[in-house]
Each structure stands twice: as C-alpha cells, then as structure tokens.
Amino acid sequence: MYDGPPVVVVGNGPVGQTTALLLARWEIPTVVLDAHERREAVGSRSICQQRETLDIWDTVGAGRAIADEGVTWRVARTYYREHELFQVAFADSGDSPFPPWVNIGQARVEQVLDERIADAPLVDVRWGTTVTGISQDDRAVRVETTRGTIETPYVVGCAGARGEVVRAAIGAGFEGRTFEDRFLICDIRCDLPERELERRFYFDPEWNPGRQVLMHPCPDSTYRIDWQVDPGFDLERERANGDLDRRIRRIVGSVDHEVLWCTVYRFHSRLATTMGSGRVLLAGDCAHLMAPFGARGLNSGVADAENAAWRIAYALHGWASPRTVDGYAAERRAAAENNLAITTSTMDFLVPQSEAGRAHRRDVLERAVTDAAARAEIDSGKLYAPFRYGADRHPAVGALHPDHRLRAAARRARGEFLTHATGGGTWVVRPDGHVAAVSAEWS
Ligand SMILES: Cc1cc2nc3c(=O)[nH]c(=O)nc-3n(C[C@H](O)[C@H](O)[C@H](O)COP(=O)(O)OP(=O)(O)OC[C@H]3O[C@@H](n4cnc5c(N)ncnc54)[C@H](O)[C@@H]3O)c2cc1C
C-alpha cells in the first residue's frame, strides 16, 4: 500500500474528477485543487458521452448512473434546405452493458462524479485554491497555491483551457488557432408532441440560411440546439427583442418551451507542444482544445485521465519503473493529434475558411439532394473512437481490447497486466484495457 504524499490534481472539472477517482481506485491519495469557490452547474456543454467513457466511469462507480439517466439517440437525420438528405440508424452491437453513447449534460456528469468523490476518502477536494506556480526536480514537484505550498510526487494538470500555469511548468506552448465563427448554444425544456430520439442536423435551413443548426435530445425533456450565427450576433439583443424565442419556435413550433441556458462560443483547435515532462502531466482541455462536433473534447480527456492514473499508480506502488509515466505524453499527444485532425476536417467542411471551401460545401450539398454517392462527402462530425497506440504487425496491439467477458483464465495478481488466453494464443491487456501484446501463435 502506497503511504507517500498525495498526487496533486489541478482542476476539479470532469477530467480532474475522473483522474482523482481513478487514482483512488488504485489506492493512491489525491489533493484536487480548484480556483473556483464551489461547483457551478453551467449548462450542458459536453453532451455526448461515449461507451468507452462510460466504461471508465463505471470502474469508479459512476458509469451506470450516467448511462441510466442519459438518452441514446438511434437515428441521425441530415437535412439540406427543405430536403432530408439521409438518415443513419445506429444498431447497438457488442457485449457491453452500456449503449454506444448517451446524451447527458456535463453539469449533471460533474454532479454524479462529485457524489462518487464524496464517498472516496482518498480524494481531498480543496475549492478556492488557485495554483500560482509549479516547479519540479528529480524527486518531487512543488505546487505553489494561494493557500500555501504542497510537495507531491506527481501533478496531473486538468486546469482546462486557461491552465497556463501548468503548461508553463513544463514549457508547453498551446499552438493552434481560435476561429472567428460563432455558435449560439441553447438548452431548452419542452414537451414535443412526438418526442423522437433523433439527432437532427440542418444545413442551410431557410430559417438559418448559409449556416447550420444541430439539435440533440437530452434527458428530462430537454434539447440542446446549436446554431451557427453571423459575426454580429448579439445574444442579449435577441433575448430582449424576442428573436431568440422566434428562433427556437422555428424548430419546436408553438409548444411551450423554457430556455434553461444560452451562450455564444467560438471554437478552438489547439494542442500543447508536450503533454508531460518529468512528474507533471497535462490532461483534458489543458492539453487540447477541439471543436465540439464529434464530441471528442471530454471523451478524450477522460481517456487521458485513465492513461495518466494507471501509469502514476504503477510507478508509485513500485509495480513498474517510474519511466512508465513517461509513456503518457507520447501516447496521449498522438491521440490528441488524431482527434484534432478529425475535428479540423469536420470544421473545414462545416465552416469553410476559404472561398474554395465554401464552394465545395455548396457543391457537395447540392449534389447530395439527388446523388446518394455525394452524401458520403458530407462531414457533420465523426463520433469519438478510442485511439490505437503505436503500430504493430498485429492489428489488435495498441487498440482497446474488444468487448469481451473475461473468464477465470484472465485473473491477475495486483500490479500485473491481465492475460487473456483464448484459443491458440494469449493477449496481454494493460490496465486501461488496451492490448499490450498478442502471443506469436495468435498472429
Ligand atoms: C460553452 C461550451 C460548450 C461546450 N460544448 C461542448 C460540446 O458540445 N461537446 C464537447 O465535447 N465539449 C464541449 N465543451 C468542452 C467541454 O466543456 C470541455 O472539453 C470540458 O469541460 C473539459 O474538461 P476539463 O476537466 O479538461 O476542464 P474544465 O472543465 O475547464 O475544468 C478546469 C478546472 O480547472 C480549474 N482551474 C483552472 N486554472 C486553475 C488554477 N490555476 N488553479 C486551480 N484551478 C484551476 C478551473 O476552475 C476549472 O474548474 C464546451 C465547452 C464550453 C465552454
């Protein structure tokens, strides 16, 4: 049992919460520092939580509650002007007890994770504590805060987009760009007469010409609507003059609705030049910012948390060399690069930045009205999938182990990787479920 000082997690957002809970599961204590005075439930923000993320939350006792409360849409419809171009039905496949994803707002996810943290004596949350400086040597990290200094073996920086203090500690730049295009997001509650569990994507509807609108069903008769808006859009003016109400009614019709949350945002595409150095790691939005289409921000942040937690736990328990922690930065930065490449190509289609791009978007959408082949060129977001680490001759190595009920042969001692003997070979599975190796007879 590890009896040294706690690991410091900077930031009590969903990535920091997940990191602390996962470390507690490995019997590693944490101190979680957050500059805010308390949790503030701010709108839906990240709404689409993928199965692999639910699996990770399940290991800390939160996955079932989030999955049960969430809504799974099974049909995605795509429209261009007045035409419905196509619909995609998603079948649930695999052995997982969880659906492929659920829609549920980030504020509620944070609440569920807070409940788990309240039951975790190894997690010490300190609100109202701002980290002002971080320095490290071979032995430890010193974390300067507005409430004193903490010495710790490792820091996981989950401080979000504004986590400059953590990035600076490892000399990480935050390269990329912030786009000028603006989106209006609203959470509304309303009882639609025939509430269907569908995601709807409208390109250039006559009520938002030249731009797109996306609507997602969420729990408790709520809907999340995203409009791309013009550069001069003024939310307060729209609220005051009734345009916001008219905008919503064009989608939901005359039924009563309640606006729960509304904000305007611009999207970013940024990646830390390194995601870890020595004893300080970056995770979540502190390391990467991506456009929300495809739901890759929080989902990939939770995967960062899992990768960081098992590596730190193995190093601190002495089950593996401290160099195990070094593997984090390369693996998770490669994953972030991949996610950013995918979200960037989605945004290039949705919100083209050049005249040629705008012409391409128009051309594809026009052709898609009559030509089924053109529909494959429409990119309205590619849903998150777990990253495969590294390249190996065997296609499973580095990938997340497929859903599978592991039987007695798969037991392991503490600190060992799980081995899964099947048929002609043996799979060695890492603590995060990724395949470390497959024996020769298998391949
Ligand atoms: C308006 C909006 C809409 C969004 N919509 C979507 C969406 O549709 N889909 C999607 O996938 N994602 C969306 N996101 C992004 C999603 O919210 C983030 O990916 C997610 O919050 C990342 O979680 P995190 O824990 O990494 O960081 P955060 O949630 O940002 O948490 C960081 C925490 O660190 C704390 N902190 C920062 N600096 C310090 C310091 N120096 N000392 C102590 N504490 C500090 C902060 O107080 C904060 O609590 C949206 C975000 C916004 C703002």
Side-chain angles (χ1 to χ4, degrees), residues 379-399:
D379 183 350
S380 57
K382 295 191 172 68
L383 280 172
Y384 170 81
F387 186 66
R388 180 182 168 206
Y389 300 127
D392 189 273
R393 197 166 54 87
H394 192 286
V397 172

Side-chain angles (χ1 to χ4, degrees), residues 234-246:
D234 181 338
L235 177 56
E236 289 321 309
R237 193 174 58 213
E238 274 226 359
R239 272 189 210 274
N241 67 14
D243 279 353
L244 180 64
D245 184 64
R246 279 187 281 281

Side-chain angles (χ1 to χ4, degrees), residues 366-377:
E366 287 291 343
R367 282 190 289 118
V369 174
T370 51
D371 173 7
R375 293 169 196 161
E377 296 177 52

Side-chain angles (χ1 to χ4, degrees), residues 9-17 33-39 42 44-49 106 110 126-133 144-145 157-166 185 214 216 224 226 261 263-266 283-299 301 304:
V9 175
V10 186
N12 196 19
V15 176
Q17 290 174 292
L33 308 173
D34 201 291
H36 286 140
E37 288 301 325
R38 67 191 66 82
R39 172 83 54 218
V42 189
S44 54
R45 290 167 293 152
S46 173
I47 48 167
C48 191
Q49 326 301 346
Q106 184 175 329
E110 289 170 358
R126 300 185 192 168
W127 292 106
T129 310
T130 304
V131 172
T132 53
E144 313 287 342
T145 83
C158 311
R162 297 199 169 85
E164 189 47 42
V165 69
V166 197
I185 316 180
L214 172 64
H216 270 273
R224 154 83 171 264
D226 294 34
W261 177 65
T263 193
V264 179
Y265 77 98
R266 290 189 300 165
D285 276 20
C286 192
H288 41 72
L289 291 177
M290 43 197 92
F293 294 89
R296 286 166 183 264
L298 180 52
N299 284 296
D304 293 342

Side-chain angles (χ1 to χ4, degrees), residues 270-292:
R270 289 187 186 276
L271 177 57
T273 46
T274 172
M275 279 183 62
S277 176
R279 296 172 172 275
V280 179
L281 310 181
L282 308 181
D285 276 20
C286 192
H288 41 72
L289 291 177
M290 43 197 92

Side-chain angles (χ1 to χ4, degrees), residues 389-408:
Y389 300 127
D392 189 273
R393 197 166 54 87
H394 192 286
V397 172
L400 193 64
H401 192 284
D403 290 339
H404 196 90
R405 287 200 178 81
L406 296 176
R407 299 191 181 82

